[in-house]
Amino acid sequence: MTLYIIIRYLHFLGIFVWVGALTAEWVLLQPELPRKTVKRLMMIDRLYGLAAIVVVGMGLLMWFKVGKPAEFYNTNGLFHLKVGLAGAVGLLSLYPTRFFARQAKGEDQEAIVNIPPSVRQFILAELLIMIIIPLLAVLMATGLGS
């Protein structure tokens, strides 16, 4: 039981950090940024990635090792939708991550004149999808989807 509580807590904590990092990226991202801010965004994006790994890792442990039987998850359509949406968020994050990594190279004082609007659009899409995922989790917890 203690292991289950620790895994669920880490899963939950990872979700908070994941959403927090994504929100920080959204808030910091402007059409023109000094390279120093882009480097900060890259560090936030690394935290985002680490949090996503924790969420997925703890989620897999809950699915296959502790907690409810795997059949609960295997037969729940809402769970599959939730996992699919989390995967979509991960795929959407690749574009901003690559952009931050490329643009972080160079001197801190150099300005980046043109941040593509698509970077901000991808992050907004991630945030909008992230709003749906907890709803699906709540619906699952009430027994829907099976």
Side-chain angles (χ1 to χ4, degrees):
M1 184 59 147
T2 303
L3 179 62
Y4 177 67
I5 292 169
I6 291 169
I7 289 171
R8 283 193 60 109
Y9 177 72
L10 289 174
H11 185 70
F12 211 56
L13 192 60
I15 292 167
F16 281 129
V17 173
W18 192 7
V19 172
L22 187 57
T23 303
E25 287 180 6
W26 171 256
V27 170
L28 286 174
L29 198 58
Q30 301 298 319
E32 185 174 317
L33 293 172
R35 193 168 311 278
K36 183 176 181 179
T37 304
V38 174
K39 287 182 180 183
R40 182 176 295 142
L41 282 165
M42 187 180 73
M43 295 306 293
I44 292 169
D45 199 66
R46 286 181 179 162
L47 179 62
Y48 168 103
L50 180 61
I53 290 168
V54 168
V55 169
V56 169
M58 296 305 109
L60 287 171
L61 284 173
M62 287 190 297
W63 186 357
F64 294 112
K65 294 289 182 188
V66 298
K68 294 180 176 122
E71 298 82 42
F72 172 82
Y73 299 103
N74 294 341
T75 61
N76 192 305
L78 292 176
F79 173 74
H80 292 284
L81 179 57
K82 186 175 86 157
V83 169
L85 289 176
V89 168
L91 290 173
L92 286 169
S93 76
L94 295 175
Y95 177 67
T97 297
R98 291 184 63 221
F99 177 80
F100 297 147
R102 281 192 315 266
Q103 297 301 322
K105 297 173 184 166
E107 296 299 318
D108 282 354
Q109 303 311 318
E110 294 176 31
I112 298 173
V113 177
N114 189 14
I115 306 268
S118 57
V119 172
R120 195 163 167 89
Q121 292 165 352
F122 271 70
I123 291 173
L124 178 59
E126 291 175 68
L127 281 169
L128 292 174
I129 293 170
M130 286 289 239
I131 290 170
I132 299 167
I133 293 172
L135 173 62
L136 296 174
V138 169
L139 293 173
M140 277 179 53
T142 62
L144 295 174
S146 294

